[in-house]
Amino acid sequence: VLKDKYDSDIPRTVEELCELKGVGPKMAYLCMSSAWNEVVGIGVDTHVHRISARLGWTQKECKTPEATRKALEAWLPKDRWREVNMLMVGFGQQVCLPIGPKCGECL
């Protein structure tokens, strides 16, 4: 598909990236940022989704990562979108664990 449709490159839009097998919104937003240096959205995975809810960064309960992405983008300054995923993934793997979070190390 990439060879035939995109001249052996990758698509330049989130929509086209999401049409590729195995690529969802999170990877599409991260790819746009890394490959094309275009920050058009926040890549929300399980860590960003969980931690955003714990910190109260979303106004309502977001049941999906896409709902979390939209809620975060509604208030977070766009110049901060690029780093959200990278910072929260490490934090979620080491400190803000899904079970037994180390709140004492954070707060």
Side-chain angles (χ1 to χ4, degrees), residues 65-85:
E66 268 299 283
T68 297
R69 178 187 65 80
K70 291 175 184 175
L72 289 174
E73 290 175 3
W75 70 269
L76 195 62
K78 191 171 183 179
D79 66 343
R80 298 292 181 209
W81 292 5
R82 180 185 305 269
E83 58 215 12
V84 169
N85 184 276

Side-chain angles (χ1 to χ4, degrees), residues 7-93:
D7 195 27
S8 297
D9 207 340
I10 60 171
R12 294 192 72 102
T13 69
V14 169
E15 294 77 16
E16 290 177 319
L17 284 163
C18 285
E19 289 175 3
L20 299 174
K21 185 177 180 178
V23 178
K26 175 198 78 172
M27 189 52 64
Y29 288 113
L30 294 174
C31 186
M32 289 295 296
S33 176
S34 296
W36 301 118
N37 200 31
E38 293 181 25
V39 180
V40 295
I42 299 172
V44 176
D45 65 358
T46 186
H47 303 290
V48 177
H49 182 63
R50 179 182 71 251
I51 295 166
S52 295
R54 279 189 182 162
L55 295 176
W57 284 10
T58 53
Q59 292 292 332
K60 59 181 176 111
E61 180 184 349
C62 296
K63 296 190 184 288
T64 65
E66 268 299 283
T68 297
R69 178 187 65 80
K70 291 175 184 175
L72 289 174
E73 290 175 3
W75 70 269
L76 195 62
K78 191 171 183 179
D79 66 343
R80 298 292 181 209
W81 292 5
R82 180 185 305 269
E83 58 215 12
V84 169
N85 184 276
M86 179 183 66
L87 293 172
M88 285 194 170
V89 168
F91 183 66
Q93 291 172 338

